[in-house]
Amino acid sequence: MAILENIRKRTTVLILIIGLALFAFVISGVFSSNNFAGGGKVGSAVAEVNGESISIDDFRRQVETASRQFGPNFSSTQLVNTVYDREVRKTILNQQFEDLGIDVESDQIIEFVKTSGYAQIPDFLDENGIFNEEVFKSAIADWKVNDPLRYEAWLQDEQAIIEAAKERLYFNLIKGGVGATLTEGEFDYKLANEKVDIQYVRVPYTSIADSTIEVSKSEIQAYISNHQKEFEQERARDVRFIYFEEKPSAEDENAVKEAITSLLGDTVEYNEDNDTTDTIPGFRSTTDMAAFLDRNSDTKYDTIYKRKNELPAIAADTLMAMNVGEVYGPYKDGNFFKVSKVMDRKANGTVKASHILFTWEGAERANPSITRTKEEAEAKAKEILAEAKKEGAIFTSLAREHSDGPSAPRGGDLGYFEEGVMADEFNDFCFGNPVGTIGLVETQFGFHIIKVDDKQDVLRVATLSREIEPSEETINTLFTNATKFEMSALDAEPENFGDIARESSYTVRPVNKIKEMDENLPGLGSQRSIVQWAFNEETSVGDIRRFNVNNGYAVVQLTKKYKKGLMTPEDASATALPEIRKELKAERIMAANQGKAMDAIASNNNVSLSSATSVTLKAPTLAGAGREPLVVGTAFALNQDQTSGLIKGESGVYMVKVTKKEDAPAMENFSTYANSLRTSAANRVNTGVYNALKDKAEIEDNRAVFY
């Protein structure tokens, strides 16, 4: 059983890593007569976009190429989804290019390459390091003859650069039609600068308890019908599961602790060949610590001296207080039991220092912008040294203001370092002076005003460690428990899943609205097989299945299916009910306060009159009430000292009175505002246009069939 479990644990981590095809830019075939049309649509389609198929064969090749680029950084499902999004985008845009007759010629491709990363490839640069069209063409021709592999790599990517050039042309054409008139600029200016002061009364919707508002199923259905876009849903599933985690038991922990404790002292072994007994040194007494840890520890001997914050947090204080040769442990640190021995100590072995650097023209690593002479640098350093030594001087501020070093933004802080790391003069000053000392030294980098901030001892520590892992017995028991629960749940009615779990003190974990191409389940991580099972047409609501998951098992039950389309009243109620109640509360409040003055409304509803000043249409927010665009818009439509009727706002029913109106200051020209609107609109073109095309497109997504 244990062998089977070990095999299972290994196989569960062997997930196929596939990924996103390299969207690079290539050029060679542009200068030939080759026709680089898309790959043939062979076999089944992973998707159809406006009737055009995306071949699963081509798609898989893209995924295979991508896996070599991204490797384990992306899961297989993440990469498939990314490739899918890219291919759908490419298909939609290519349909636009074809309809509009958009194409690119070789000279346009050259212009594109000049402004891309390819313009920096050394093979394409002239003797002055500048991209050269003739050098570019010559290099590709040379690859074709002398470097076929490199040439083939360019051919594989050629279509991508053509598509990228088409995209740039397409979006630039649209941007060319984006504009804003001076009148629009004036309007935008007034939105931000015309202001009103108002007095208002608000009867909040929360003044009426939800329990007093009855909403019928038919009312919810009517609301859904009137707001269909808000209640469209994709296919989805609800599941619940019990997680049987493969983790060490208390007995497993004690066994590891006992095993590591047994290694502390010397042991006596009988040598049958010599009929003698040998004493085997333990952790406390061994004279060859490296060899001892190689034989007995899950971690090797680390001879590097460490500061307190580099030691295990749970043991750092104790270790720093110990003498050389003393042993601490066993102690638990994460998933390990450890015993540590202090092998050596260096008093003040690490220093924390700050500095202010004054360099000169020609000094090592000096910024090219530095033009001062060495003499000028020294004079400036001595001047600031005097400032730094004054009582109350703030060294960090002086460093930020004057230092030429990269540590200036950190106030000159260099952190902790050990002997031999810094330049000799710098090193000697820091380790040869007490904490708080400020002085001046010269190195090849410049003149340094140094402040010794702190010193700490460092320790060399040997640590014997053993990982706490579940035993074979624990693994077998876990499998038995998971199987027993699965069988009990299968024998019972589907609705009793939770009751059976509670009888055994298992926690039921629900996961709602899983989408068809989801991968991660909260509490379980990447579990694509569970998602696929939940969406299998043969899986019915109430079905139960046990899955091997990372570090254990999950017994999963499918609890609900959601069809694509409009939500049912039951599914939509969580979103629809608050909005319906708000509408009904508004009607009730308005009916009760119709025809009343502001003072009377405030008194009858036990609320206060409030005021808001300098309110603009650009930012229609009322202090203490939140964003209320309709209320603010109504106020701007009133004259000064005029009072509105009842207004159905976002958070309550309002009545407002305008106490002051302030026109925007006069301006002669609104071109700045018009240009800002134009730039903002142009920046939204690429994303906005594609999203609009995608929303309008008829897309049949078949990813779940293949993945």
Side-chain angles (χ1 to χ4, degrees):
M1 185 66 194
I3 294 174
L4 291 176
E5 285 299 320
N6 286 332
I7 292 173
R8 178 189 61 73
K9 287 196 290 183
R10 290 188 182 96
T11 57
T12 55
V13 298
L14 298 178
I15 300 173
L16 176 63
I17 303 299
I18 55 180
L20 173 65
L22 186 62
F23 190 65
F25 303 107
V26 191
I27 192 65
S28 59
V30 170
F31 305 104
S32 70
S33 59
N34 294 340
N35 180 12
F36 291 93
K41 304 300 183 284
V42 180
S44 302
V46 72
E48 284 194 5
V49 181
N50 297 323
E52 182 178 347
S53 296
I54 298 176
S55 164
I56 184 59
D57 302 304
D58 291 343
F59 188 84
R60 282 173 175 155
R61 281 192 288 271
Q62 297 276 16
V63 167
E64 288 170 5
T65 302
S67 67
R68 295 191 290 271
Q69 178 185 3
F70 290 94
N73 294 326
F74 281 62
S75 72
S76 57
T77 304
Q78 286 175 316
L79 291 171
V80 166
N81 292 343
T82 306
V83 171
Y84 172 84
D85 290 339
R86 191 206 66 182
E87 291 302 302
V88 168
R89 174 187 170 89
K90 186 170 77 172
T91 303
I92 289 174
L93 291 177
N94 276 337
Q95 290 170 351
Q96 289 292 301
F97 302 157
E98 185 174 347
D99 290 346
L100 298 172
I102 291 177
D103 205 349
V104 292
E105 302 296 335
S106 60
D107 58 337
Q108 293 171 295
I109 300 297
I110 293 293
E111 289 303 315
F112 183 91
V113 171
K114 284 181 180 178
T115 57
S116 72
Y118 279 100
Q120 304 304 317
I121 294 178
D123 299 71
F124 302 157
L125 307 181
D126 60 20
E127 64 275 7
N128 297 317
I130 299 173
F131 176 83
N132 185 288
E133 179 179 340
E134 295 305 318
V135 173
F136 167 68
K137 294 178 181 179
S138 176
I140 294 174
D142 180 68
W143 293 347
K144 185 174 182 178
V145 175
N146 300 312
D147 195 346
L149 291 178
R150 193 169 187 183
Y151 178 71
E152 286 299 320
W154 279 92
L155 288 181
Q156 290 174 13
D157 296 333
E158 179 144 33
Q159 185 61 29
I161 194 171
I162 295 173
E163 295 299 328
K166 287 180 181 179
E167 278 194 31
R168 179 185 289 185
L169 177 59
Y170 174 69
F171 287 124
N172 283 344
L173 287 171
I174 296 174
K175 289 176 184 178
V178 172
T181 65
L182 291 177
T183 300
E184 289 172 314
E186 180 181 5
F187 180 70
D188 187 62
Y189 169 74
K190 289 182 177 180
L191 287 178
N193 292 280
E194 288 184 342
K195 300 174 183 178
V196 295
D197 295 351
I198 63 171
Q199 184 181 51
Y200 67 90
V201 62
R202 178 183 64 139
V203 183
Y205 297 131
T206 54
S207 63
I208 300 177
D210 287 351
S211 58
T212 65
I213 305 294
E214 294 184 3
V215 180
S216 66
K217 182 177 179 179
S218 61
E219 287 177 304
I220 298 176
Q221 185 62 64
Y223 188 85
I224 295 171
S225 299
N226 293 330
H227 302 80
Q228 292 190 17
K229 190 164 181 134
E230 298 173 27
F231 294 97
E232 291 176 353
Q233 66 179 8
E234 298 296 319
R235 294 179 70 206
R237 299 289 186 266
D238 289 349
V239 300
R240 56 181 174 175
F241 67 89
I242 309 295
Y243 180 32
F244 294 85
E245 185 178 5
E246 194 175 274
K247 60 183 180 181
S249 64
E251 291 77 12
D252 296 334
E253 287 197 15
N254 289 332
V256 175
K257 186 176 181 180
E258 290 172 6
I260 204 170
T261 301
S262 69
L263 293 168
L264 294 178
D266 298 346
T267 56
V268 176
E269 291 185 1
Y270 174 67
N271 189 323
E272 187 175 355
D273 294 336
N274 301 325
D275 192 25
T276 59
T277 55
D278 298 328
T279 299
I280 309 301
F283 181 72
R284 283 194 175 97
S285 59
T286 182
T287 57
D288 189 348
M289 184 60 74
F292 182 89
L293 294 182
D294 281 343
R295 292 192 306 270
N296 300 295
S297 177
D298 287 344
T299 53
K300 305 301 181 184
Y301 183 30
D302 186 353
T303 59
I304 297 175
Y305 286 84
K306 298 184 183 297
R307 303 193 309 273
K308 178 180 176 180
N309 67 348
E310 296 174 319
L311 298 170
I314 194 170
D317 287 333
T318 302
L319 292 172
M320 292 302 296
M322 288 166 50
N323 296 318
V324 173
E326 290 185 321
V327 174
Y328 173 65
Y331 60 92
K332 188 178 178 183
D333 184 20
N335 293 324
F336 288 82
F337 268 114
K338 297 179 178 180
V339 179
S340 295
K341 180 179 180 180
V342 178
M343 303 297 290
D344 194 17
R345 175 190 295 272
K346 286 184 180 178
N348 295 328
T350 183
V351 172
K352 183 177 185 291
S354 303
H355 80 141
I356 307 172
L357 173 64
F358 296 90
T359 190
W360 60 83
E361 186 176 9
E364 189 170 331
R365 299 182 192 172
N367 190 308
S369 64
I370 299 295
T371 58
R372 70 165 72 97
T373 64
K374 181 176 181 180
E375 291 74 19
E376 290 171 335
E378 182 177 15
K380 186 66 175 177
K382 289 179 178 178
E383 175 190 338
I384 302 304
L385 174 64
E387 291 290 324
K389 286 186 172 183
K390 289 181 180 178
E391 185 176 352
I394 302 175
F395 194 91
T396 55
S397 298
L398 291 172
R400 290 192 185 98
E401 183 178 353
H402 298 288
S403 181
D404 297 326
S407 65
R410 304 189 301 273
D413 185 9
L414 297 171
Y416 286 91
F417 52 89
E418 295 182 24
E419 284 204 72
V421 174
M422 298 295 185
D424 291 343
E425 301 87 352
F426 199 105
N427 180 89
D428 294 345
F429 181 89
C430 293
F431 284 92
N433 288 286
V435 172
T437 303
I438 298 175
L440 180 66
V441 300
E442 178 188 346
T443 72
Q444 68 269 35
F445 305 108
F447 293 96
H448 308 257
I449 301 172
I450 304 172
K451 181 185 177 193
V452 182
D453 296 316
D454 188 27
K455 293 189 177 185
Q456 288 186 8
D457 291 357
V458 290
L459 303 180
R460 190 172 73 213
V461 178
T463 298
L464 169 64
S465 67
R466 288 282 180 89
E467 187 174 5
I468 306 167
E469 295 183 302
S471 63
E472 291 182 13
E473 181 181 355
T474 298
I475 292 172
N476 293 339
T477 300
L478 182 76
F479 175 79
T480 301
N481 291 340
T483 303
K484 283 182 178 179
F485 176 80
E486 179 190 16
M487 300 308 296
S488 298
L490 286 169
D491 290 340
E493 294 298 321
E495 60 270 18
N496 293 334
F497 185 93
D499 295 332
I500 298 170
R502 282 187 288 273
E503 288 173 4
S504 300
S505 300
Y506 298 140
T507 301
V508 180
R509 307 185 189 188
V511 183
N512 298 326
K513 295 290 183 75
I514 301 170
K515 300 296 189 298
E516 199 164 12
M517 285 306 295
D518 282 351
E519 177 180 29
N520 292 309
L521 299 182
L524 291 179
S526 177
Q527 297 299 331
R528 182 66 189 148
S529 60
I530 295 178
V531 177
Q532 289 173 322
W533 169 79
F535 278 90
N536 192 311
E537 294 301 327
E538 297 178 0
T539 304
S540 302
V541 172
D543 283 0
I544 295 168
R545 182 173 169 182
R546 174 170 53 84
F547 291 86
N548 292 346
V549 298
N550 299 330
N551 298 318
Y553 308 93
V555 179
V556 186
Q557 183 182 48
L558 177 64
T559 56
K560 191 169 185 177
K561 292 184 175 183
Y562 300 89
K563 295 181 180 179
K564 182 177 181 178
L566 286 179
M567 294 181 183
T568 63
E570 292 78 13
D571 295 336
S573 61
T575 302
L577 274 176
E579 296 301 318
I580 297 172
R581 289 194 184 110
K582 188 167 79 171
E583 292 286 337
L584 296 174
K585 288 178 182 182
E587 292 174 7
R588 187 180 296 184
I589 294 170
M590 294 178 82
N593 294 280
Q594 198 66 46
K596 294 180 181 178
M598 289 178 64
D599 291 343
I601 293 173
S603 176
N604 293 345
N605 292 276
N606 197 28
V607 295
S608 302
L609 292 176
S610 301
S611 60
T613 59
S614 299
V615 180
T616 69
L617 284 168
K618 193 100 170 183
T621 300
L622 302 180
R627 186 175 173 83
E628 291 288 357
L630 180 59
V631 176
V632 173
T634 302
F636 269 90
L638 300 173
N639 296 320
Q640 186 165 321
D641 297 324
Q642 188 177 359
T643 302
S644 73
L646 294 171
I647 308 166
K648 190 189 301 181
E650 295 295 321
S651 61
V653 173
Y654 290 78
M655 181 177 285
V656 301
K657 178 181 179 181
V658 176
T659 58
K660 180 182 177 183
K661 296 195 79 169
E662 182 180 341
D663 291 334
M667 286 191 69
E668 293 184 2
N669 189 287
F670 298 96
S671 58
T672 300
Y673 286 85
N675 290 337
S676 178
L677 289 174
R678 187 180 302 113
T679 301
S680 178
N683 289 339
R684 297 193 301 269
V685 162
N686 289 34
T687 301
V689 168
Y690 171 68
N691 287 340
L693 292 170
K694 185 180 177 183
D695 288 342
K696 186 181 178 182
E698 295 181 3
I699 301 174
E700 181 181 334
D701 182 357
N702 299 323
R703 276 175 294 173
V705 175
F706 303 99
Y707 299 96

